[in-house]
Amino acid sequence: MFHKNVLTSLGSVSPQQIPDSSPQTSNQPSNRIALVPPGSGAPSQAKPSPLLDFISIAAPRCSSFFAEAAVLVLVLALLDRFMLKGRMELNWVISAFAISVALLAASILTDFSSRRWLKRH
């Protein structure tokens, strides 16, 4: 299995990079591993900043937190009010929906703004 990988990796290296120390016929494939010269490798990537890592990890979690909080506020607040009073007041229902919608908007805004910010940086 390893010899197949060596042959395919040698196929991607130009013949000028392989040193020729022994004469070979054109029918025999070379079984040597050639090293790529230091200047022709892939360019080094710039080290990402810790702030970008933090935002890329925290943003989706904050967004999902706001979305879950929106559902929990709506369900638990209405259920709690109904269990304690036995009836629903219109002001209480409107305020629970308003808080839930505000949390849902914060979830969407967090997700949208973090994606745009990460694309720019």
Side-chain angles (χ1 to χ4, degrees):
M1 185 74 174
F2 180 71
H3 69 282
K4 291 179 185 176
N5 292 337
V6 171
L7 291 178
T8 56
S9 67
L10 281 177
S12 64
V13 176
S14 67
Q16 299 164 349
Q17 295 174 345
I18 302 173
D20 191 21
S21 60
S22 64
Q24 293 182 354
T25 63
S26 61
N27 294 345
Q28 287 182 327
S30 173
N31 288 333
R32 292 178 286 169
I33 297 176
L35 299 176
V36 178
S40 66
S44 63
Q45 296 286 334
K47 185 177 178 185
S49 73
L51 180 63
L52 286 176
D53 290 340
F54 176 73
I55 291 175
S56 66
I57 292 170
R61 293 181 182 175
C62 287
S63 175
S64 64
F65 168 76
F66 286 136
E68 289 177 18
V71 172
L72 287 175
V73 162
L74 184 62
V75 170
L76 294 179
L78 293 178
L79 188 64
D80 184 50
R81 184 69 178 182
F82 185 71
M83 295 283 284
L84 289 177
K85 293 273 186 171
R87 58 184 162 79
M88 291 284 178
E89 297 172 0
L90 187 60
N91 291 338
W92 185 260
V93 173
I94 291 173
S95 65
F97 273 115
I99 293 170
S100 180
V101 168
L103 286 170
L104 190 59
S107 169
I108 293 169
L109 182 67
T110 302
D111 192 36
F112 181 70
S113 63
S114 67
R115 286 183 187 186
R116 288 190 63 190
W117 192 84
L118 285 173
K119 283 181 184 178
R120 272 192 260 147
H121 295 85

